[in-house]
């Protein structure tokens, strides 16, 4: 009720869709008599309203000017708002249902020919279509009605792959709606069995292949990557057929994929060449994103970036594509490219808060607190106008305080006399005494406590022994085997802070070189991160040669 009162008080209602769709406020603002502002790049709004006749369409370049104009030109604003109010009266649920029934009546009467497809279908096809309609709203009662339709159809046609695929999606939706994991598991297992049955009946059935992948993903079972890769190969093949794509897709969520899928169905004739091409592109896009997510989780950041690039090429207008690329590039230590990708992400999806947070953290990790403050101030200005997002504000306020603190430290350091310190980063194997001891011995032989050099030894707190134990090992080795006095040990620091896998690149940006016994022993990921940070790799022999020079 408070929302309705606010809408009725407003002269102008600012609206921006999250996924490029027409949202409910497009109807509500006009129904409450306000002048509605909607983003100009939205592809659906012109099906409902005409710019400057029923609403005002804005862009980044003219939003403020348009607001100023219509807040000061009352008669023109009220004329457009009144026209929008009148137009929206024909868009109630009752009107929409009546229009749908009128289309059916015209189809029954035989005009136009293109509208008769459903009524001319055989009974089994209509039964499958009805089941799919029940599945569009995954309420358990609706899903029960869909199950009845599909099981009846399967009894009549047990060799139909599309029925098995629909049953797989149905079981997946039922399982997802259940609150208890023990209840979900057997139904998910049944869903997987249905999907595998569909693929036995039709091995090149792309919809079933993708549904199987998503069911396995929901169950956290192996085989997801293999199924997605198989689907990509089928989608990229020539002579793609409509029957390979026909059917429902699991899971059904209100995300960018679902919005684009609905738009595709509304804009193209089902199973036409245009429909096949558009659906191929959309499914490839989603699959590239999922492969990028899997690569990121498995710390294969180069793969994650490669798949994200493929997704960006297909749908650059969707912010989620750029976000996957940004975080993969950040994990690789490619800061400039990552920053550009974060900027593009937020141009397309300004309410993707994870991207704001990671961008600000990237700038802080790069010791650019002034730039981080600019980004955070921009976001907090947005949040000032969006009370609904009040719960995310404290986290960004803390980041802003961190940026201000870092800026003060930088300013204090700039005023102090400069001191050059050589920082050598190493990744010792703490389970192999010969490995870590050779690194420590070589450094301790060349550098003494008064020398401006420090050996930074990475110790992962989630995988390596506790820091206290490692410090005892180091001290015992340096005094007992290297023979150094206890009060004259070299400058060695343990880097044992917890770091998510996607944050390990930050270690390379505090080092002048990476120290290894053999450059080949460094992992592929660490090598890529060192390259991105432009940090050279030094063997023990190279360190000795440079020290001698």
């Amino acid at each position: 009720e408070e929302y309705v009162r606010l809408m009725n008080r407003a002269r102008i209602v600012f609206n921006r869709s999250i996924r490029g769709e027409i949202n409910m406020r497009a109807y509500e603002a006009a129904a409450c008599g306000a002048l509605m502002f909607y983003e100009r790049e939205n592809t659906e709004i012109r099906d409902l309203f005409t710019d400057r006749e029923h609403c005002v369409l804005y862009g980044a370049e003219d939003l403020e000017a348009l607001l100023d104009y219509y807040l000061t030109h009352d008669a023109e604003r009220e004329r457009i708002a009144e026209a929008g109010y009148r137009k929206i009266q024909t868009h109630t649920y009752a009107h929409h249902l009546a229009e749908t029934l009128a289309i059916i009546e015209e189809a029954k009467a035989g005009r136009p020919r293109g509208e008769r497809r459903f009524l001319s279908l055989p009974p089994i096809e209509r039964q499958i279509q009805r089941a799919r309609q029940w599945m569009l709203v995954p309420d358990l009662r609706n899903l029960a009605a869909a199950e009845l339709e599909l099981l009846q159809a399967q009894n009549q046609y047990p060799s139909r792959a599309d029925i098995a695929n629909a049953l797989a999606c149905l079981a997946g939706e039922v399982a997802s709606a259940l609150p208890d994991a023990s209840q979900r598991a057997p139904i998910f297992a049944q869903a997987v069995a249905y999907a595998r049955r569909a693929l036995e009946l039709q091995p090149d059935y792309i919809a079933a292949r993708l549904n199987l992948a998503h069911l396995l993903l929901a169950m956290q079972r192996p085989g997801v990557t293999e199924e997605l890769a198989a689907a990509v190969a089928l989608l990229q093949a020539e002579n793609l057929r409509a029957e390979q794509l026909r059917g429902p897709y699991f899971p059904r969520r209100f995300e960018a994929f679902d919005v684009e899928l609905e738009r595709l169905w509304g804009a193209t004739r089902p199973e036409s060449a245009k429909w096949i091409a558009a659906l191929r592109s959309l499914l490839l896009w989603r699959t590239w994103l999922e492969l990028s997510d899997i690569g990121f989780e498995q710390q294969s950041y180069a793969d994650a970036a490669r798949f994200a690039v493929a997704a960006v090429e297909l749908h650059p207008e969707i912010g989620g594509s750029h976000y996957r690329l940004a975080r993969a590039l950040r994990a690789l230590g490619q800061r400039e490219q990552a920053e550009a990708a974060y900027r593009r992400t937020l141009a397309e999806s300004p309410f993707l808060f994870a991207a704001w947070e990671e961008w600000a953290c990237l700038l802080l990790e790069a010791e650019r607190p002034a730039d981080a403050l600019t980004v955070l101030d921009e976001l907090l200005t947005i949040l000032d106008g969006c009370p609904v997002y009040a719960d995310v504000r404290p986290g960004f306020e803390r980041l802003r305080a961190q940026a201000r603190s870092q800026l003060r430290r930088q300013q204090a350091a700039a005023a102090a006399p400069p001191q050059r310190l050589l920082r050598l980063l190493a990744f010792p194997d703490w389970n192999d005494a010969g490995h870590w001891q050779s690194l420590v011995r070589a450094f301790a032989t060349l550098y003494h406590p008064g020398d401006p050099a420090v050996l930074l030894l990475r110790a992962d707190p989630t995988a390596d022994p506790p820091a206290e134990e490692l410090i005892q090992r180091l001290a015992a080795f340096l005094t007992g085997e290297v023979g150094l006095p206890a009060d004259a040990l070299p400058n060695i620091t343990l880097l044992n802070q917890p770091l998510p896998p996607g944050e390990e690149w930050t270690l390379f940006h505090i080092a002048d070189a990476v120290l290894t016994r053999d450059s080949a022993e460094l992992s592929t990921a660490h090598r890529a991160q060192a390259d991105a940070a432009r940090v050279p790799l030094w063997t023990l022999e190279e360190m000795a040669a440079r020290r001698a020079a």
Side-chain angles (χ1 to χ4, degrees):
E1 292 183 4
E2 183 182 352
Y3 171 71
V4 175
R5 286 195 298 270
L6 179 62
M7 297 282 276
N8 276 280
R9 282 171 42 209
R11 289 177 287 173
I12 293 174
V13 170
F14 167 82
N15 197 0
R16 189 191 190 282
S17 64
I18 294 177
R19 308 166 190 86
E21 79 284 11
I22 294 178
N23 58 31
M24 283 302 297
R25 191 168 295 113
Y27 300 89
E28 294 161 349
C32 290
L35 172 59
M36 187 189 65
F37 272 45
Y38 218 94
E39 77 267 14
R40 188 175 292 119
E41 67 267 25
N42 189 286
T43 59
E44 295 184 359
I45 191 62
R46 290 172 182 81
D47 296 335
L48 184 62
F49 292 136
T50 300
D51 186 24
R52 312 301 170 92
E53 183 177 337
H54 309 106
C55 71
V56 172
L57 302 184
Y58 65 84
E61 71 285 353
D62 60 2
L63 171 61
E64 291 88 347
L66 288 170
L67 285 170
D68 285 339
Y69 180 85
Y70 284 103
L71 284 171
T72 55
H73 291 71
D74 295 346
E76 192 171 352
R77 182 187 69 246
E78 291 170 6
R79 174 184 61 77
I80 298 175
E82 174 65 22
Y85 173 82
R86 291 195 304 271
K87 179 70 180 295
I88 213 64
Q89 302 310 308
T90 62
H91 286 279
T92 64
Y93 289 120
H95 277 88
H96 281 193
L97 181 57
E99 288 178 359
T100 303
L101 294 173
I103 292 171
I104 294 173
E105 289 297 329
E106 288 183 0
K108 285 173 64 179
R111 63 178 192 278
R113 290 180 58 86
E115 302 289 355
R116 296 186 302 179
R117 182 175 180 275
F118 180 78
L119 293 165
S120 64
L121 289 174
I124 182 64
E125 301 296 341
R126 280 188 267 175
Q127 195 168 17
I128 295 170
Q129 292 279 26
R130 281 197 302 271
R132 289 187 59 187
Q133 291 301 315
W134 283 116
M135 291 167 63
L136 288 176
V137 183
D139 177 277
L140 284 176
R141 291 170 298 179
N142 294 344
L143 296 177
E147 183 179 28
L148 180 62
E149 299 274 11
L150 290 172
L151 289 176
Q152 290 175 350
Q154 188 188 48
N155 288 336
Q156 293 178 332
Y157 297 90
S159 61
R160 288 272 301 254
D162 58 336
I163 298 175
N165 175 63
L167 281 166
C169 290
L170 172 66
E173 296 293 355
V174 170
S176 299
L178 295 173
D180 186 73
S182 62
Q183 294 175 302
R184 291 195 296 268
I187 301 177
F188 267 132
Q190 182 62 59
V192 167
Y194 280 132
R196 294 195 190 281
R197 174 61 177 160
L199 290 169
E200 289 174 7
L201 295 168
Q202 185 182 332
D204 65 351
Y205 194 179
I206 293 171
R209 185 73 62 187
L210 288 171
N211 288 331
L212 175 58
H214 291 119
L215 288 165
L216 293 172
L217 185 63
M219 299 171 71
Q220 298 183 330
R221 296 286 178 82
V224 177
T225 302
E226 292 77 7
E227 296 298 338
L228 291 175
V232 167
L234 291 169
L235 285 165
Q236 292 180 324
E238 296 181 5
N239 302 319
L240 195 64
R241 308 185 313 279
E243 66 183 47
Q244 296 175 266
L245 306 172
R246 188 187 301 137
Y249 290 88
F250 172 84
R252 179 174 169 79
R253 296 185 290 243
F254 190 33
E255 295 182 351
F257 171 78
D258 304 273
V259 172
E260 294 300 321
L261 187 61
E262 289 179 5
R263 186 173 290 137
L264 182 157
W265 277 94
T268 60
R269 183 170 60 83
E271 303 188 8
S272 64
K274 187 176 180 181
W275 179 90
I276 291 172
L279 189 50
R280 181 210 298 260
S281 174
L282 184 61
L283 292 173
L284 272 173
W285 167 78
R286 184 177 68 162
T287 306
W288 291 135
L289 285 191
E290 288 160 345
L291 287 169
S292 179
D293 288 342
I294 292 170
F296 190 85
E297 290 170 7
Q298 295 177 346
Q299 302 178 33
S300 300
Y301 303 121
D303 288 340
R306 177 167 55 87
F307 291 132
V309 167
V312 166
E313 290 174 351
L314 286 174
H315 280 282
E317 77 285 0
I318 298 178
S321 310
H322 298 278
Y323 173 63
R324 265 56 167 224
L325 178 58
R327 68 176 185 174
L329 291 171
R330 178 176 176 236
L332 288 168
Q334 298 179 21
R335 293 187 296 187
E336 293 179 6
Q337 299 93 321
E339 186 177 353
Y342 279 123
R343 187 177 290 108
R344 181 64 187 275
T345 297
L346 295 168
E348 302 293 346
S349 300
F351 294 102
L352 211 169
F353 295 117
W356 285 102
E357 180 180 2
E358 291 172 18
W359 186 12
C361 289
L362 173 69
L363 294 169
L364 290 174
E365 290 153 357
E367 299 183 356
R368 293 166 54 191
D371 292 335
L373 282 171
T374 300
V375 169
L376 291 166
D377 287 345
E378 180 181 353
L379 171 61
L380 290 167
T381 300
I382 293 173
L383 294 181
D384 286 340
C386 301
V388 69
Y389 294 122
D391 59 325
V392 307
R393 188 180 186 98
F396 288 105
E397 292 281 13
R398 287 192 292 272
L399 269 179
R400 183 161 63 175
Q402 181 181 340
R404 287 171 172 166
S405 176
Q406 187 182 98
L407 182 61
R408 287 193 294 270
R409 289 197 303 272
Q410 275 190 355
Q411 292 167 341
Q419 182 179 9
R420 178 61 182 155
L421 181 68
L422 176 66
R423 297 162 299 182
L424 300 176
L425 173 65
F427 293 88
D429 183 350
W430 295 106
N431 296 314
D432 180 354
H435 186 271
W436 69 262
Q437 289 177 1
S438 61
L439 295 170
V440 171
R441 184 188 295 276
F443 179 80
T445 301
L446 295 172
Y447 294 98
H448 304 111
D451 294 328
V454 60
L455 178 61
L456 306 172
L457 300 177
R458 174 59 176 157
D460 185 347
T462 64
D464 294 322
E468 295 79 6
E469 179 182 334
L470 296 181
I471 290 172
Q472 290 174 0
R473 288 189 197 177
L474 285 167
F477 172 70
L478 288 167
T479 57
E481 297 195 33
V482 180
L484 297 177
D487 58 352
L489 299 182
N491 297 324
I492 296 177
T493 297
L494 281 181
L495 301 179
N496 68 319
Q497 67 271 36
L499 282 177
E503 306 283 345
E504 276 204 335
W505 66 271
T506 58
L507 298 173
F508 294 85
H509 288 269
I510 62 172
D512 297 301
V514 176
L515 187 62
T516 66
R517 295 194 310 180
D518 179 350
S519 59
E521 73 183 12
L522 206 62
S523 71
T524 302
H526 285 162
R527 188 182 301 277
Q529 289 162 339
D531 289 342
R534 298 184 178 87
V535 176
L537 306 183
W538 287 4
T539 63
L540 302 183
E541 293 76 13
E542 287 174 309
M543 177 177 66
R546 290 173 181 273
R547 177 62 169 163

